[in-house]
Amino acid sequence: MSNYCRVLIIEKNLLELEQYSEWAKDLVGRGGGVDGMDQIPSFFDNKKAGFNFYRLVLVSEEYSGKILLEHFRRVKSATSVVVFSGQATVEKAVEFIQLGAQDYLTKPVSEGAFRRAVRRALDKKDMISACYVDDGTGLYNTRYLDYVLDQEMVQAEVNRESFAVLFIDADCFKEINDEYGHLVGTALLRELGGQLRKYVREKDTVFRYGGDEFVVVLSSCDLYTAMTVAERVRESVAGRFYLINEGYKIKMTISIGVALFPQNSKTKDGVIEAADQAMYQAKKLDRNRVVVSRECLQIKKIREYGRLQAK
């Protein structure tokens, strides 16, 4: 297992919760931690709410209501989920596996079964995560982008909401590469990727799209929020020096294009293309700026006009 493994256990039965916690602590060792919860509300009211804060989530099927299933749909590749059930059926097992659970155990759960399930879940997730991570930046890659967009599209259609895509390009990166060399350029992109992750929301996901291009998927997001997040990211990148610890003091900026699903397009390729085109428009306007796709601006103007007419 990895040196750091945070585990969440959600179980109403306090005796079972205590037992699972002891077994998990033994497996995790000193390099991790185990949080136990006997009530779902206490978990979702927490500021760290969301499965993706944890490497492993062990949860009783008693909590298979709407809130829990909502979080199942948002589980990212770095998080494993194992479900316990006192009334297990093949149909239920299939449902939870399809939702993203790594395993489904029947109560009472033996120590041996518990240990095997935890090891399988973490080993499998390690393998999947390796396929989804970009070596140069440590961000997720385009394989995982495809997976996340599928999840977000389903979520948006079910909840009748939108999500946003930010297409980001490092300004004048070729000149930086030419001046400092490719090794410095690679280190710069890694630090930039870390900066992007700092200034998006916890539920959002950052990807390296290729070269000096990045994509951010803003989950459950309207146009105003998307513009606010994009501008915050742009300002944070432009307002600091890079690779100071390596003896450099490099300034850089980024150009960002913003598009929304389903306003711009109801396809993955379509919404990415709309954000990409908006980014190129930002480049034409002298870089270091955020540009919203024309379709989104037109929709915004129509809605504002409608509100004025209603008054």
Side-chain angles (χ1 to χ4, degrees):
M1 289 187 195
S2 68
N3 291 329
Y4 181 77
C5 181
R6 196 82 195 168
V7 177
L8 170 68
I9 303 173
I10 307 175
E11 171 59 66
K12 274 188 176 180
N13 186 306
L14 294 181
L15 291 177
E16 292 180 353
L17 176 59
E18 183 179 354
Q19 183 64 81
Y20 298 155
S21 297
E22 288 302 313
W23 290 341
K25 287 174 184 176
D26 183 49
L27 286 167
V28 169
R30 296 181 180 179
V34 177
D35 295 337
M37 301 277 182
D38 63 349
Q39 293 291 327
I40 274 282
S42 64
F43 168 56
F44 287 106
D45 288 342
N46 191 297
K47 290 181 180 178
K48 295 174 181 176
F51 287 168
N52 297 312
F53 176 70
Y54 295 92
R55 179 85 184 282
L56 173 64
V57 176
L58 307 164
V59 59
S60 171
E61 193 194 341
E62 293 171 286
Y63 296 112
S64 58
K66 184 178 180 181
I67 292 178
L68 182 60
L69 294 179
E70 181 94 359
H71 279 257
F72 259 88
R73 294 189 182 97
R74 297 187 183 279
V75 171
K76 293 186 167 65
S77 69
T79 300
S80 295
V81 180
V82 174
V83 178
F84 303 134
S85 174
Q87 297 177 327
T89 66
V90 173
E91 290 77 15
K92 287 181 180 179
V94 170
E95 178 186 11
F96 278 102
I97 295 298
Q98 288 177 336
L99 284 169
Q102 296 298 316
D103 217 330
Y104 183 86
L105 301 180
T106 303
K107 292 183 178 180
V109 179
S110 69
E111 183 176 358
F114 182 94
R115 288 177 176 274
R116 286 192 296 273
V118 168
R119 289 197 179 100
R120 279 198 303 267
L122 293 178
D123 288 346
K124 182 176 180 182
K125 224 55 176 177
D126 282 339
M127 180 180 67
I128 292 173
S129 296
C131 296
Y132 283 151
V133 173
D134 171 65
D135 290 336
T137 61
L139 299 175
Y140 289 116
N141 59 25
T142 53
R143 290 192 191 94
Y144 193 51
L145 171 61
D146 193 58
Y147 169 73
V148 168
L149 287 174
D150 281 333
Q151 282 192 314
E152 290 294 337
M153 287 168 64
V154 170
Q155 191 71 25
E157 289 168 359
V158 169
N159 293 335
R160 296 183 179 179
E161 61 186 13
S162 59
F163 69 85
V165 170
L166 310 184
F167 203 103
I168 301 171
D169 187 84
D171 295 329
C172 303
F173 186 73
K174 184 180 183 301
E175 286 84 343
I176 295 174
N177 249 349
D178 291 344
E179 181 176 352
Y180 296 99
H182 291 290
L183 289 178
V184 171
T186 299
L188 182 60
L189 290 177
R190 177 176 282 274
E191 190 168 325
L192 174 59
Q195 188 73 1
L196 298 180
R197 280 190 294 196
K198 283 183 187 177
Y199 287 89
V200 299
R201 302 169 304 172
E202 188 274 336
K203 64 180 180 178
D204 302 327
T205 316
V206 183
F207 309 83
R208 186 184 186 184
Y209 195 73
D212 57 346
E213 295 176 331
F214 301 84
V215 166
V216 179
V217 175
L218 303 179
S219 184
S220 303
C221 184
D222 58 20
L223 180 57
Y224 175 79
T225 302
M227 292 169 64
T228 301
V229 173
E231 187 59 31
R232 182 172 67 208
V233 169
R234 185 200 64 76
E235 288 181 352
S236 76
V237 171
R240 69 190 300 269
F241 290 100
Y242 289 81
L243 300 184
I244 293 176
N245 292 336
E246 287 78 8
Y248 301 94
K249 200 175 180 181
I250 300 173
K251 287 285 285 185
M252 69 180 308
T253 61
I254 54 175
S255 297
I256 305 177
V258 181
L260 261 64
F261 174 95
Q263 288 87 339
N264 283 103
S265 175
K266 292 186 177 181
T267 69
K268 291 182 288 187
D269 290 343
V271 73
I272 290 288
E273 176 65 21
D276 186 21
Q277 290 302 314
M279 182 275 294
Y280 274 109
Q281 186 62 29
K283 292 282 191 185
K284 291 179 182 179
L285 296 172
D286 200 27
R287 307 181 181 90
N288 190 26
R289 63 179 63 222
V290 175
V291 170
V292 178
S293 67
R294 286 180 295 179
E295 291 84 352
C296 283
L297 286 176
Q298 288 169 354
I299 292 170
K300 183 172 181 284
K301 288 178 181 177
I302 290 170
R303 287 177 177 169
E304 288 174 347
Y305 177 77
R307 283 196 291 270
L308 288 173
Q309 292 296 101
K311 292 180 180 179

